[in-house]
Amino acid sequence: MKIGIVGSGHIGGTLTRRLRTLGHDVTVTNSRGPQSLTELAAETGATAGTLEEAVQGAELVVVAVPVKAVPTLPAELFDGKLVVDADNYYAQRDGDIAELLDRSLSSSRWTAEHLKGARVVKAFNNIRAPHLMDSGRPAGSPDRIALPVAGDDARAKQVVMELVDELGFDPVDAGTLDESWRQQPDTPVYGTDRDADGVRQGLAQARP
């Protein structure tokens, strides 16, 4: 698959490495420009590009940036794209965003409202980057970690769930974007390495 990754931090950089290992065509971008990504590109064989180069032509785009940066993304560039939202809202970093502070919106719904026209799916936000890098296991392994995947578009969600499986994790359908708060920070599945049954249990136990 041709994949664009917006953000080269812990999760963006890890996904760049893992997806290239699996043979995907990856273009990665960040706010500092392609020249800041030469080492990552040399290490992985990914292309260091501009935001436009990462998104245009991509079959799937991962957004892994601070939530406060989402409104700076040009929505029209993402129109019609399958966008994987790997972000988390942290008030101390991202500032006071009223709808997220009072939890009237999930952070992914908030992101989807900024990227109108995109098919947004929430994934990869609850796992620690080192575990995403090193803890993938073949399907059927007894110690396989599961990851929740939430979204409104059934086909888009299926594509992401297949990618989660390819990366070595059991995908768990976590419902709609409005339900994706169940995998946000301070919930039972956030930052934990549960199996599929454990993720389902944790999602059900989450409280607003």
Side-chain angles (χ1 to χ4, degrees):
M1 216 172 4
K2 187 171 176 55
I3 297 174
I5 298 183
V6 182
S8 61
H10 294 304
I11 295 297
T14 297
L15 283 172
T16 298
R17 293 176 174 91
R18 290 294 322 278
L19 292 168
R20 278 297 301 141
T21 299
L22 294 172
H24 293 286
D25 180 357
V26 176
T27 300
V28 60
T29 189
N30 64 15
S31 61
R32 298 183 301 280
Q35 68 282 354
S36 68
L37 295 166
T38 52
E39 287 187 16
L40 181 61
E43 173 196 339
T44 62
T47 300
T50 63
L51 178 63
E52 290 74 16
E53 289 167 341
V55 177
Q56 287 172 348
E59 300 165 69
L60 180 150
V61 180
V62 177
V63 174
V65 299
V67 166
K68 64 182 178 182
V70 169
T72 69
L73 299 174
E76 65 279 1
L77 186 62
F78 294 83
D79 191 40
K81 295 293 183 184
L82 196 176
V83 173
V84 179
D85 173 22
D87 297 345
N88 287 303
Y89 172 61
Y90 303 108
Q92 65 272 25
R93 178 195 66 189
D94 299 309
D96 294 347
I97 301 173
E99 307 96 314
L100 302 186
L101 277 174
D102 67 14
R103 294 193 172 222
S104 59
L105 288 181
S106 69
S107 65
S108 284
R109 175 64 67 198
W110 185 84
T111 294
E113 290 190 354
H114 283 284
L115 301 180
K116 288 189 184 298
R119 297 173 294 146
V120 177
V121 176
K122 184 77 163 186
F124 303 119
N125 73 297
N126 75 303
I127 186 171
R128 301 178 190 278
H131 298 189
L132 180 60
M133 186 71 198
D134 298 323
S135 299
R137 299 288 185 269
S141 298
D143 58 344
R144 205 180 202 216
I145 296 170
L147 300 182
V149 180
D152 298 339
D153 184 304
R155 177 58 189 147
K157 194 182 339 186
Q158 184 60 36
V159 171
V160 177
M161 292 177 78
E162 289 170 2
L163 191 64
V164 167
D165 182 54
E166 188 183 1
L167 285 162
F169 304 93
D170 281 333
V172 171
D173 190 330
T176 67
L177 282 187
D178 289 329
E179 295 174 281
S180 65
W181 63 269
R182 294 178 181 275
Q183 65 196 76
Q184 291 180 175
D186 302 319
T187 63
V189 302
Y190 180 76
T192 57
D193 295 334
R194 295 173 175 235
D195 64 11
D197 286 340
V199 166
R200 292 186 190 98
Q201 182 182 49
L203 292 170
Q205 290 173 338
R207 296 292 176 263

